[in-house]
């Protein structure tokens, strides 16, 4: 193989958003016992690793990404005993666990911050970024969640402003203080010693700041994000984290990487740098967003040629060093089949399975978000009261305060809102989709009654779920689909995404029709083989008897093994 092999490269990650996975306590909120209850199901998928969104004690301003005790389990989710039982139950099934590491910021209710704001002389004052009011207004910094998009919050108690790139209840930690870094490293050791196998590191490139807080040349959100991701000591801190903690364990790390440009990729994940193993880039997540916008959708649909270019360029970035991550959705973005496929009744099944085929035949570690394996779709709330996300609420208030078009805002949220991904997991057609005996914390998607649920699909040979399991098995039995060279075919084609994967004498052809049309697709003359063997198709093959021409149904996906 051309690259070093490892379990986290070959593994398939299943992401669990605990609040929405399975409730066993009857309070309408998912919990750790619910995850334990469904481990047999997760094992049956063929995945290897579970990524667990935050379960730490939190006031829940941002659904657990505002942490007030890093060594305590949120009461809604259960107890530390429940967590220990989860670890044991996972290990007995050969499953590994990575947890969310949220250390760019904490909660304003964390002891560190409640102490820090007491006085300018407090021992914890320098755990956070403060700007004294006597220096005038602090230099402009943009905030993701602030109603006014202002990342500085005035605190009257000490007549100073504190920095918060996210909610005002999420003050940014000051990594420039070595005591802060040591607190974080000790906390990471705590969880590793409990048996976790790694961390997904939330907005990790943001941890380093220029503490002279200069004025910067930025106006649009994406300009601020690029600045935030290029702090002066970000690589020094990541290297120190690896040296002091990660390197002590058989572990892996994946960073959330907003603002990291493709030409910076290897600065973070080249093996020789000893920082992170991989990260999530955001080029794809920006494809259908308006220019310069983080949340607002484009007025027109994205182009497949642009989609292909993103994946092709990033594959090339890691061709000889480093390693990439593959994802189409997570808890922060809309449902994959609604965004990158077609969730209409006619095309839902094929487009959901096409996306599975794509993720599981590309080079990199694939991440599957809970419910995507059964093709869960956007819920498309129409009323602001149906939402639960601080991001939607605060942006709604911002539009309202500016006299903007609230109807247009809500229409955009139907497609862009994070809550589309956070509706409860659809286990069955029973009350509340089998998620809870109580009213769920967020409204269900009603299509759980119409085939988009585990109980029905697990019985059906040709369901989205059954196809997902087959595709997982194909990837796991063919290492060329993990490590093999990727070569795109006809990159400018706006309906078909075709490519080959090859390692030594193993070669595969993948054909994906990203359209509602029945069409014919021809291979170029430089693709040669003697025989093709179909490994899987999500629909009946119309015509592939000719040597290099294929008839593809709408949203059809086919994987062939090529023999020479």
């Amino acid at each position: 193989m051309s690259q070093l092999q490892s379990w986290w490269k070959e593994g398939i990650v299943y992401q669990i958003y605990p609040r929405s996975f399975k409730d066993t306590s009857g309070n309408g909120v998912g919990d750790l016992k619910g995850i334990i209850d469904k481990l047999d199901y997760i094992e049956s998928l063929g995945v290897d690793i579970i990524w667990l969104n935050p379960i730490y004690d939190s006031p829940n301003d941002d659904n657990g990404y505002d942490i007030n005790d890093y060594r305590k389990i949120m009461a809604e989710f259960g107890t530390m005993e429940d967590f220990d039982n989860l670890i044991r139950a996972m290990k007995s099934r050969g499953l590994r666990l990575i947890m969310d590491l949220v250390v760019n910021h904490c909660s304003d209710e964390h002891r560190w911050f409640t102490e820090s704001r007491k006085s300018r002389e407090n021992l914890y004052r320098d755990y956070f970024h403060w700007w004294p009011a006597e220096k005038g207004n602090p230099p402009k910094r943009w905030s993701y969640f602030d109603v006014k998009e202002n990342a500085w919050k005035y605190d009257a108690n000490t007549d100073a402003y504190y920095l918060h790139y996210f909610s005002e209840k999420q003050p940014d930690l000051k990594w420039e203080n070595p005591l802060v870094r040591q607190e974080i490293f000790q906390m990471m050791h705590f969880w590793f010693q409990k048996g976790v196998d790694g961390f997904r590191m939330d907005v990790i490139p943001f941890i380093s700041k220029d503490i002279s807080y200069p004025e910067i040349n930025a106006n649009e959100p994406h300009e601020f994000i690029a600045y935030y991701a290029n702090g002066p000591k970000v690589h020094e801190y990541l290297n120190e984290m690896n040296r002091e903690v990660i390197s002590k364990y058989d572990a892996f790390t994946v960073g959330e990487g907003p603002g990291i440009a493709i030409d910076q990729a290897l600065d973070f994940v080249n093996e020789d740098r000893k920082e992170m193993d991989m990260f999530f880039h955001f080029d794809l997540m920006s494809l259908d967003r308006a220019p310069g916008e983080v949340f607002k959708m484009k007025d027109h649909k994205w182009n497949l040629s642009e989609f292909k270019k993103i994946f092709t360029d990033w594959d090339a970035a890691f061709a000889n060093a480093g390693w990439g991550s593959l994802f189409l959705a997570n808890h922060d973005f809309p449902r994959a089949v609604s965004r990158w496929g077609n969730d209409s009744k006619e095309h839902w099944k094929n487009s959901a399975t096409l996306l599975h085929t794509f993720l599981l035949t590309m080079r990199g570690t694939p991440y599957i978000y809970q419910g995507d394996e059964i093709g869960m779709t956007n819920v498309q709330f129409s009323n602001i009261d149906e939402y639960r996300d601080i991001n939607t609420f605060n942006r709604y208030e911002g539009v309202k305060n500016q006299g903007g078009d609230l109807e247009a805002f809500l229409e955009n949220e139907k497609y862009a809102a994070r809550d589309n991904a956070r509706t409860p997991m659809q286990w069955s057609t029973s009350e509340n989709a089998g998620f809870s005996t109580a009213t769920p914390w967020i409204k269900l998607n009603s299509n759980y009654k119409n085939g988009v649920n585990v109980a029905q699909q697990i019985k059906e040979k040709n369901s989205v779920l059954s196809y997902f399991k087959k595709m997982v098995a194909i990837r796991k039995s063919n290492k060329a689909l993990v490590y093999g060279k990727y070569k795109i075919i006809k990159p400018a084609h706006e309906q078909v995404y075709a490519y080959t994967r090859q390692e030594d004498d193993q070669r595969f052809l993948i054909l994906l029709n990203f359209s509602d049309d029945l069409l014919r697709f021809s291979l170029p003359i430089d693709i040669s083989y003697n025989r093709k063997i179909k490994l899987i198709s999500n629909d009946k093959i119309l015509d592939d008897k000719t040597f290099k021409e294929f008839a593809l149904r709408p949203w059809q996906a086919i994987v062939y093994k090529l023999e020479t």
Side-chain angles (χ1 to χ4, degrees):
M1 296 290 176
S2 59
Q3 289 197 339
L4 291 173
Q5 299 182 47
S6 66
W7 62 266
W8 47 265
K9 291 179 180 179
E10 297 172 21
I12 298 170
V13 182
Y14 186 77
Q15 181 191 352
I16 293 179
Y17 194 70
R19 181 169 293 274
S20 297
F21 194 64
K22 173 64 178 175
D23 170 29
T24 61
S25 63
N27 65 354
V29 175
D31 48 51
L32 294 179
K33 287 182 178 178
I35 298 171
I36 296 170
D37 188 53
K38 295 297 183 181
L39 284 179
D40 286 344
Y41 165 76
I42 296 169
E43 182 184 15
S44 78
L45 297 177
V47 301
D48 310 275
I49 305 162
I50 291 175
W51 158 22
L52 204 56
N53 284 109
I55 56 172
Y56 316 100
D57 196 27
S58 166
N60 274 320
D61 188 57
D62 183 25
N63 280 6
Y65 282 88
D66 50 316
I67 297 166
N68 63 4
D69 191 333
Y70 286 97
R71 302 190 190 201
K72 184 179 178 182
I73 302 296
M74 192 187 309
E76 284 183 311
F77 292 159
T79 65
M80 189 62 78
E81 182 181 3
D82 295 332
F83 178 81
D84 292 338
N85 290 337
L86 173 63
I87 285 281
R88 281 192 290 271
M90 287 181 61
K91 300 297 184 188
S92 71
R93 292 169 171 82
L95 294 168
R96 296 181 185 256
L97 176 67
I98 62 171
M99 293 179 67
D100 240 301
L101 183 73
V102 188
V103 290
N104 173 71
H105 48 265
C106 64
S107 168
D108 68 341
E109 297 181 34
H110 194 294
R111 181 176 62 87
W112 299 339
F113 191 74
T114 59
E115 288 292 321
S116 181
R117 73 195 316 176
K118 285 181 178 178
S119 76
R120 294 190 180 188
E121 292 74 38
N122 190 278
L123 293 174
Y124 289 93
R125 184 67 171 183
D126 204 37
Y127 273 45
F128 299 90
H129 298 269
W130 290 96
W131 178 274
E134 62 267 23
K135 292 176 65 174
N137 290 328
K140 184 178 179 181
R141 295 292 185 269
W142 176 82
S143 167
Y144 279 83
F145 298 159
D146 189 75
V147 173
K148 296 180 180 179
E149 299 187 342
N150 182 3
W152 291 101
K153 171 70 174 177
Y154 179 69
D155 189 63
N157 193 53
T158 58
D159 192 30
Y161 300 83
Y162 65 86
L163 186 66
H164 60 95
Y165 283 172
F166 294 86
S167 157
E168 65 182 45
K169 288 184 67 62
Q170 293 169 290
D172 281 31
L173 287 159
K174 193 172 182 180
W175 275 68
E176 290 68 25
N177 183 344
L179 294 177
V180 170
R181 301 199 300 277
Q182 286 306 309
E183 295 264 22
I184 291 167
F185 297 162
Q186 289 167 18
M187 174 268 292
M188 294 172 69
H189 279 298
F190 171 83
W191 290 105
F192 273 126
Q193 289 161 13
K194 277 196 163 288
V196 307
D197 299 285
F199 289 101
R200 176 266 187 187
M201 302 191 291
D202 188 61
V203 294
I204 199 66
F206 291 3
I207 57 176
S208 171
K209 275 88 169 172
D210 181 343
I211 56 175
S212 69
Y213 310 111
E215 295 286 351
I216 61 174
N217 183 24
N219 293 298
E220 300 296 332
H222 71 281
E223 294 171 333
F224 282 100
I225 292 169
Y227 172 80
Y228 295 166
N230 284 277
K233 294 187 176 182
V234 62
H235 296 292
E236 178 183 326
Y237 296 156
L238 289 174
N239 185 266
E240 183 183 3
M241 178 192 289
N242 183 285
R243 184 177 66 252
E244 297 296 322
V245 186
I246 306 297
S247 63
K248 312 292 185 186
Y249 306 92
D250 178 21
F252 95 99
T253 54
V254 53
E256 183 186 28
I260 299 178
I262 194 167
D263 60 354
Q264 300 170 311
L266 292 180
D267 293 341
F268 288 87
V269 299
N270 192 317
E271 293 87 349
D272 294 340
R273 294 185 64 88
K274 301 187 186 306
E275 295 187 17
M276 296 188 294
D277 294 312
M278 68 182 95
F279 66 87
F280 300 122
H281 71 78
F282 278 70
D283 285 5
L284 180 67
M285 297 298 108
S286 302
L287 179 59
D288 60 352
R289 302 297 164 105
E293 294 285 344
V294 177
F295 306 112
K296 187 178 180 182
M297 305 290 284
K298 281 182 181 177
D299 293 331
H300 64 276
K301 190 173 171 64
W302 52 275
N303 296 320
L304 181 63
S305 58
E306 296 173 336
F307 182 99
K308 291 191 278 189
K309 186 177 189 306
I310 289 168
F311 279 95
T312 301
D313 288 351
W314 280 92
D315 179 86
F318 303 123
N320 300 310
W323 191 251
S325 65
L326 301 165
F327 76 108
L328 295 173
N330 62 32
H331 65 291
D332 277 339
F333 296 100
R335 283 287 176 182
V337 68
S338 297
R339 190 177 190 185
W340 309 117
N342 181 335
D343 63 8
S344 68
K345 185 176 181 180
E346 181 181 5
H347 299 300
W348 161 75
K349 182 177 178 181
N350 272 15
S351 59
T353 49
L354 175 145
L355 295 176
H356 294 334
T357 311
F358 173 65
L359 270 185
L360 294 166
T361 55
M362 288 291 284
R363 179 165 55 183
T365 299
Y367 290 74
I368 310 299
Y369 182 61
Q370 66 179 48
D372 281 353
E373 74 274 18
I374 60 170
M376 283 182 63
T377 64
N378 284 354
V379 66
Q380 295 199 345
F381 292 142
S382 57
N383 189 305
I384 188 63
D385 295 332
E386 294 177 299
Y387 287 95
R388 296 292 179 267
D389 183 17
I390 183 177
N391 181 31
T392 296
F393 287 148
N394 286 359
R395 288 169 47 241
Y396 180 88
E397 287 301 313
V399 172
K400 184 178 178 181
N401 293 342
Q402 294 169 19
D405 188 339
L406 291 174
E407 187 175 331
F409 172 83
L410 289 173
E411 187 64 23
N412 179 78
E413 290 300 276
K414 287 182 180 180
Y415 305 95
R418 303 195 301 177
D419 276 344
N420 279 309
R422 300 177 180 186
T423 57
M425 182 69 181
Q426 296 168 195
W427 295 106
S428 68
T429 57
S430 62
E431 184 181 13
N432 298 323
F435 164 72
S436 176
T437 56
T439 302
W441 72 277
I442 190 171
K443 189 177 176 181
L444 285 151
N445 190 322
S446 62
N447 64 9
Y448 75 88
K449 302 172 184 175
N450 302 313
V452 189
N453 69 75
V454 171
Q456 282 184 253
Q457 291 192 26
I458 210 163
K459 298 174 185 176
E460 297 170 3
K461 181 180 178 182
N462 296 314
S463 68
V464 174
L465 177 60
S466 295
Y467 184 94
F468 175 79
K469 292 179 180 180
K470 292 173 190 173
M471 197 59 242
V472 166
I474 288 172
R475 182 179 180 89
K476 293 174 88 64
S477 60
N478 295 282
K479 282 196 175 182
L481 292 176
V482 178
Y483 297 107
K485 182 180 179 181
Y486 159 91
K487 182 179 179 181
I488 192 168
I489 301 168
K490 295 186 176 181
H493 201 291
E494 291 293 357
Q495 291 177 294
V496 176
Y497 194 163
Y499 49 95
T500 59
R501 300 292 313 283
Q502 182 170 359
E503 187 74 32
D504 300 328
D505 59 350
Q506 273 202 322
R507 188 162 56 131
F508 299 88
L509 170 67
I510 297 91
L511 301 175
L512 308 169
N513 180 7
F514 272 79
S515 81
D516 298 345
D517 301 326
L518 172 65
L519 53 82
R520 302 195 75 83
F521 182 78
S522 300
L523 295 178
I525 58 174
D526 64 335
I527 303 293
S528 61
Y529 57 90
N530 292 326
R531 188 163 74 109
K532 59 181 183 289
I533 302 167
K534 185 200 78 173
L535 295 188
I536 195 168
S537 175
N538 65 354
D539 208 333
K540 183 179 179 181
I541 294 177
L542 284 171
D543 179 18
D544 68 350
K545 298 293 187 280
T546 56
F547 199 58
K548 290 191 177 183
E549 188 168 291
F550 303 81
L552 297 174
R553 296 177 185 270
W555 297 96
Q556 186 164 19
I558 313 175
V559 180
Y560 292 102
K561 185 174 184 179
L562 303 182
E563 295 186 346
T564 55

